[in-house]
Amino acid sequence: MSRLKQAGLFNFKTDDKTAACLSVLVPYPVDKAYDYIVPEGIALSIGDYVTVPLGNRQIPGVVWGGAEGGVPAKKLKAVVFPHNLPPMPEVQRKFLDWVAHYTMSARGAVLKMSLSVPKALEEAKPVKAYKIASGANAEKVKGLSPQRRRVLEVMGDGHPRRSSEIAEAAGCGVAVIKSMESAGLIVAEEIRSAAPCRAPDPDLPGPMLSQAQREAVAAIDAYAAARSKGAVLIDGVTGAGKTEVYFESVARALHDGKQVLILLPEIALSNAFLDRFKARFGCAPALWHSHLSPGQRRRTWRGVAEGQTKVVVGARSALFLPFADLGLIIVDEEHDPAYKQEEGVIYHARDMAVVRAHLGKIPIILVSATPSLETMQNVWEGRYAHVHLPDRFGGARLPDVEMIDMRADKPERQHFISPTLNKAIEETLQNGEQALLFLNRRGYAPLTLCRSCGHRMDCPRCTAWLVEHKQSGRLHCHHCGFEAMQPKTCPECGAADSFAVCGPGVERILEEVKRTFPEARTMMLASDTADNNEKLGKMLSDIRDHKVDIIVGTQIIAKGHHFPGLTLVGVIDADLGLQGGELRAAERTYQLLHQVAGRAGREGKKGKVYLQSFMPEHRIMKALSSEGEREGRDDFLKVEALERKAAHMPPFARLAGIIVSGREEAQVIEVAKALGRTAPQGASKDRQSIQTFGPAPAPFARLRGRYRYRLLVRADKKVDLQKTLAAWIESVKTPSTVRVQIDIDPQSFL
Ligand code: ADP
Ligand code: ZN
């Protein structure tokens, strides 16, 4: 392999003729970087974005290193052209290599997450922008109209901006700006980048922090200065003021000219958060999530790569943006399962963010009211710094949490709300306050069956029941999106009108609420009723503005929102998440219910939470009802930790899920069995070091028409899991029609 010879240039000797060669990684599922010739007259450095020929296409890529060799230079093709962008920083390339190795994915597949907007490599068309004319500023110019004065104030920081941007910020029409150009107050120039949020202002006055918040800020500063710990956790109940605390760290990073990444679960990327950011820093951050328009994606990607965009607030994939100079990462709601990407490159964004921070030698702040056991274990073992905000900000009180024993407090037949909860709803309405009923199940009923023969309506493509949705009048599969009309007669026995529904979904709860409280204004909020950000935003603002009295919602409502009039939360089925017995079932249920409970009584009025349960003596219910004392939570987590340790499970050992899938069941079984026969198993004296369980049909034995088998590998932390797995899986011949996916640190076992 040839080595880097001079600053930024590669030489590769062939047949006495010297041609510069280098390797380019392309965003396709290949691990290898391909060699290319550098055309004469072009200087390329590692990290440069280039367009290269592959087959008969031209595709983007990134210069990854010196030539790999192996292909005679005569046969190599030349780089077509470089793109006019700063090179991808070394830390980013190291990070991508690291993620590829850890998740056992092809490097090109990981690069694809970084090069997610190929169009952004092309320079944007120049746009007309304005700057203040020299000598003209809001203080100096006399006799300005209020509108013109505001325009000059908005432009005071000297950044060129498009007229539409200025008009929006100053609250005037574009005509005002045109007239100011004619008057010589402002001058036009061409800019290429229209990066959003060029200048969040760290010097705007933040709120007066409380004593506890100031101490938290000081502790985070101390961590950031020393960085002798892997991360810092801000741990505090919802409403404790954690966001304001980490905004201080954002301000510090901005002061140093650094970029900042704030990760949020997608669902929490609400306007409310953006408004708070705007209030603190004077402009909106750049956003990164799955609902952006192509133009927005392009602008943000390019702004980030060029270093002009200073703050990105985004869902997990924002972690892979090619930041020019990232100085701080924040992972809010660090415990949230949405940080796990379950398809393609399977990774956990919180864990990878910690790695990214480590590689970049920058601080990382994890934030949660209900930290994951993994994170708490890191705190307990001294690897993470810990900052605790024990109380709600401004003395707002935590809600009282009370259990309702559904065995004693029975709802009417075919009803799901207990008399106690009904009474509480009634009182809440009488007080002119709002109630939220929480059930994490979409649709009308989870199960539809035939009363005559017992036939259940299931999905033709998945191992899953079809869920009746009354609003659409159809049966839906929540796993693959399959839909069908509810048949009139049973497809099995032909009986007419024989279908009965079992159990409640949110639609059914809404129906019950409407019957019991016909006067109340109601709303149902689930991912299928609020299927885009605008709709969701409107519904959330309707709740804030008290246009509804009773909200029935799924977990979409649980996160981050702040509803001043909401004083009652009723959890319809607190036991729901405990069924199935997955590794993290208890932890997740605790987190979700705590979060839902946190919606009640965030302002002035104290809130009340009722949990309907058939097992009120369960330790989760105990921990939840002793809310407010962190001991409740920590005791719960410590017991959870003991159980995991005894079972030799994460975070005390490592897991890898192996999912074998394909359309031909026989082929899938054959591969799964072959894997099972050669699976890593520790020698008898050291059984615990590594063990493989399975193969067994996956709980979703069929998904989207693919048959699925699973194996689970459990290993000591000292085992090189990736190396072991790679050797094992490579040794088994797999036809191209069967897919073997590896899920390192699995969160889902379905
Ligand atoms: P968390 O992120 O812990 O849930 P927030 O940062 O959202 O808490 O704070 C809860 C509420 O208290 C918010 O409405 C926030 O604006 C307010 N708040 C927090 N800290 C302060 C402060 N120092 N001064 C004024 N209001 C604050
Ligand atoms: Zn399905």
Side-chain angles (χ1 to χ4, degrees):
M1 199 201 283
S2 70
R3 283 262 166 265
L4 173 65
K5 287 273 171 64
Q6 331 152 313
L9 268 182
F10 304 94
N11 291 313
F12 185 72
K13 278 212 171 224
T14 57
D15 312 326
D16 293 330
K17 266 172 50 204
T18 302
C21 287
L22 39 67
S23 65
V24 172
L25 190 62
V26 293
Y28 289 87
V30 286
D31 198 51
K32 196 175 148 40
Y34 298 124
D35 285 355
Y36 288 93
I37 293 169
V38 183
E40 239 169 86
I42 291 180
L44 285 175
S45 315
I46 303 187
D48 277 339
Y49 295 94
V50 291
T51 283
V52 292
L54 190 72
N56 44 22
R57 286 192 300 161
Q58 295 195 345
I59 58 166
V62 176
V63 177
W64 217 251
E68 300 268 332
V71 180
K74 277 188 293 205
K75 291 203 170 163
L76 292 182
K77 291 182 180 169
V79 168
V80 185
F81 57 85
H83 291 277
N84 186 15
L85 266 171
M88 181 182 275
E90 184 185 4
V91 56
Q92 178 77 2
R93 285 178 284 114
K94 275 194 182 155
F95 176 56
L96 299 184
D97 279 340
W98 197 97
V99 172
H101 172 79
Y102 188 82
T103 62
M104 304 185 66
S105 313
R107 289 188 300 168
V110 180
L111 176 67
K112 186 157 190 255
M113 301 197 293
S114 223
L115 260 185
S116 51
V117 198
K119 271 249 178 316
L121 295 174
E122 293 157 25
E123 237 163 321
K125 288 199 190 72
V127 292
K128 194 171 172 184
Y130 293 94
K131 279 202 324 203
I132 297 183
S134 64
N137 75 44
E139 277 111 68
K140 283 200 197 131
V141 184
K142 297 235 155 53
L144 281 175
S145 73
Q147 273 185 333
R148 287 184 166 191
R149 177 174 301 279
R150 266 205 306 284
V151 167
L152 291 187
E153 279 165 8
V154 164
M155 299 174 71
D157 62 10
H159 279 290
R161 286 183 172 77
R162 285 170 301 166
S163 54
S164 56
E165 250 179 289
I166 302 170
E168 195 197 322
C172 65
V174 174
V176 175
I177 291 151
K178 292 264 141 62
S179 78
M180 289 173 74
E181 183 188 9
S182 313
L185 290 167
I186 59 176
V187 291
E189 66 171 45
E190 287 203 330
I191 56 168
R192 286 203 173 261
S193 166
C197 195
R198 275 159 293 172
D201 183 354
D203 293 326
L204 288 177
M208 272 286 291
L209 297 183
S210 68
Q211 177 70 20
Q213 284 176 318
R214 281 201 302 275
E215 283 167 14
V217 169
I220 295 167
D221 285 348
Y223 148 77
R227 276 202 28 267
S228 54
K229 307 245 176 183
V232 60
L233 169 69
I234 309 182
D235 172 6
V237 293
T238 33
K242 302 186 291 298
T243 311
E244 296 299 342
V245 167
Y246 72 65
F247 276 177
E248 288 308 304
S249 303
V250 173
R252 282 163 173 62
L254 290 173
H255 251 289
D256 297 342
K258 300 285 185 185
Q259 292 172 299
V260 177
L261 169 64
I262 303 177
L263 291 177
L264 291 173
E266 179 129 14
I267 238 166
L269 284 168
S270 61
N271 289 333
F273 183 87
L274 300 186
D275 289 345
R276 282 186 70 180
F277 187 93
K278 268 192 232 169
R280 178 67 179 81
F281 296 106
C283 73
L287 276 179
W288 193 259
H289 55 71
S290 57
H291 303 295
L292 294 181
S293 71
Q296 286 172 312
R297 294 175 76 77
R298 210 162 59 221
R299 277 198 296 278
T300 297
W301 193 95
R302 200 156 173 114
V304 167
E306 289 178 338
Q308 295 188 12
T309 297
K310 293 301 182 195
V311 181
V312 176
V313 175
R316 61 181 182 233
S317 58
L319 181 61
F320 291 93
L321 286 169
F323 287 91
D325 189 11
L326 187 60
L328 171 67
I329 305 176
I330 290 155
V331 185
D332 204 345
E333 313 281 8
E334 67 86 23
H335 62 277
D336 198 294
Y339 282 122
K340 185 74 193 280
Q341 168 147 310
E342 301 279 6
E343 258 154 43
V345 177
I346 301 178
Y347 67 91
H348 198 299
R350 176 202 57 216
D351 297 348
M352 296 304 113
V354 171
V355 172
R356 174 66 181 78
H358 178 77
L359 291 174
K361 303 186 172 62
I362 59 172
I364 176 163
I365 305 176
L366 309 180
V367 185
S368 179
T370 52
S372 61
L373 180 57
E374 273 82 358
T375 295
M376 280 315 288
Q377 193 62 33
N378 279 323
V379 167
W380 290 329
E381 291 178 9
R383 280 191 297 272
Y384 287 1
H386 185 214
V387 171
H388 185 219
L389 289 171
D391 304 309
R392 278 194 167 178
F393 178 78
R397 283 166 303 167
L398 285 164
D400 283 331
V401 180
E402 204 170 297
M403 301 302 307
I404 294 178
D405 185 344
M406 294 298 276
R407 293 165 303 193
D409 205 344
K410 286 195 182 110
E412 284 172 51
R413 227 178 83 71
Q414 294 293 323
H415 284 58
F416 304 93
I417 302 176
S418 62
T420 304
L421 183 52
N422 266 327
K423 189 153 163 286
I425 299 172
E426 196 182 318
E427 281 166 12
T428 304
L429 297 179
Q430 274 163 6
N431 293 337
E433 293 161 5
Q434 292 168 300
L436 164 68
L437 299 180
F438 174 80
L439 176 63
N440 205 14
R441 213 192 251 145
R442 287 184 285 139
Y444 185 80
L447 177 62
T448 304
L449 53 75
C450 170
R451 261 190 301 257
S452 336
C453 75
H455 175 73
R456 298 170 177 194
M457 297 300 292
D458 54 6
C459 176
R461 295 190 290 213
C462 307
T463 319
W465 311 132
L466 291 176
V467 176
E468 181 176 348
H469 284 239
K470 278 229 166 137
Q471 283 198 340
S472 62
R474 298 171 80 85
L475 297 167
H476 291 241
C477 171
H478 285 176
H479 302 283
C480 73
F482 174 86
E483 281 182 36
M485 286 303 286
Q486 167 85 58
K488 289 264 178 295
T489 56
C490 173
E492 192 67 26
C493 72
D497 292 323
S498 68
F499 285 108
V501 288
C502 304
V506 277
E507 289 185 3
R508 199 164 180 194
I509 299 299
L510 182 72
E511 193 179 272
E512 182 175 332
V513 164
K514 281 183 171 162
R515 247 185 281 123
T516 318
F517 304 99
E519 309 284 294
R521 296 165 298 172
T522 55
M523 175 194 283
M524 187 187 88
L525 204 91
S527 56
D528 48 344
T529 57
D531 52 4
N532 64 53
N533 270 2
E534 253 159 68
K535 249 201 230 167
L536 177 61
K538 171 82 172 66
M539 294 172 96
L540 294 174
S541 72
D542 281 354
I543 303 176
R544 271 195 299 277
D545 300 342
H546 208 144
K547 290 184 182 158
V548 289
D549 304 308
I550 306 176
I551 306 110
V552 180
T554 60
Q555 64 171 344
I556 195 167
I557 193 113
K559 293 178 188 166
H561 310 298
H562 175 51
F563 307 119
L566 185 69
T567 55
L568 175 71
V569 168
V571 174
I572 300 296
D573 184 355
D575 314 333
L576 186 59
L578 294 173
Q579 296 155 11
E582 280 205 6
L583 180 63
R584 293 180 180 82
E587 189 189 338
R588 291 252 192 279
T589 301
Y590 179 85
Q591 287 160 347
L592 185 58
L593 295 186
H594 177 98
Q595 206 150 29
V596 179
R599 298 308 112 214
R602 288 192 52 159
E603 232 162 68
K605 287 162 266 176
K606 192 170 166 90
K608 179 98 192 181
V609 179
Y610 286 98
L611 304 178
Q612 297 194 147
S613 170
F614 283 92
M615 40 184 179
E617 66 287 342
H618 193 290
R619 63 190 170 83
I620 288 194
M621 306 306 161
K622 290 242 160 71
L624 281 164
S625 45
S626 60
E627 256 320 308
E629 295 133 63
R630 192 163 64 104
E631 280 64 43
R633 183 199 81 193
D634 282 3
D635 285 351
F636 164 74
L637 279 179
K638 287 207 161 122
V639 173
E640 192 68 18
L642 286 177
E643 285 187 357
R644 299 253 194 107
K645 195 166 191 173
H648 202 48
M649 280 288 176
F652 305 97
R654 302 184 58 200
L655 292 179
I658 315 291
I659 305 124
V660 186
S661 68
R663 294 195 180 273
E664 294 291 333
E665 190 173 17
Q667 282 185 335
V668 172
I669 293 175
E670 197 174 317
V671 172
K673 279 191 174 157
L675 283 169
R677 277 193 297 275
T678 53
Q681 303 286 2
S684 52
K685 63 175 165 40
D686 192 18
R687 289 286 301 161
Q688 293 276 309
S689 69
I690 191 159
Q691 264 182 299
T692 305
F693 307 95
F700 281 115
R702 213 154 77 93
L703 204 58
R704 293 181 196 93
R706 296 177 72 90
Y707 292 89
R708 301 167 77 247
Y709 275 69
R710 294 189 68 112
L711 298 100
L712 186 66
V713 181
R714 182 177 69 186
D716 270 359
K717 285 186 154 178
K718 59 177 195 287
V719 172
D720 185 341
L721 191 56
Q722 279 79 2
K723 196 171 156 198
T724 311
L725 294 180
W728 168 39
I729 286 165
E730 247 161 53
S731 74
V732 171
K733 260 195 30 209
T734 308
S736 61
T737 46
V738 174
R739 190 161 72 203
V740 178
Q741 275 174 297
I742 305 174
D743 181 358
I744 302 285
D745 308 329
Q747 298 277 319
S748 160
F749 301 85
L750 295 175

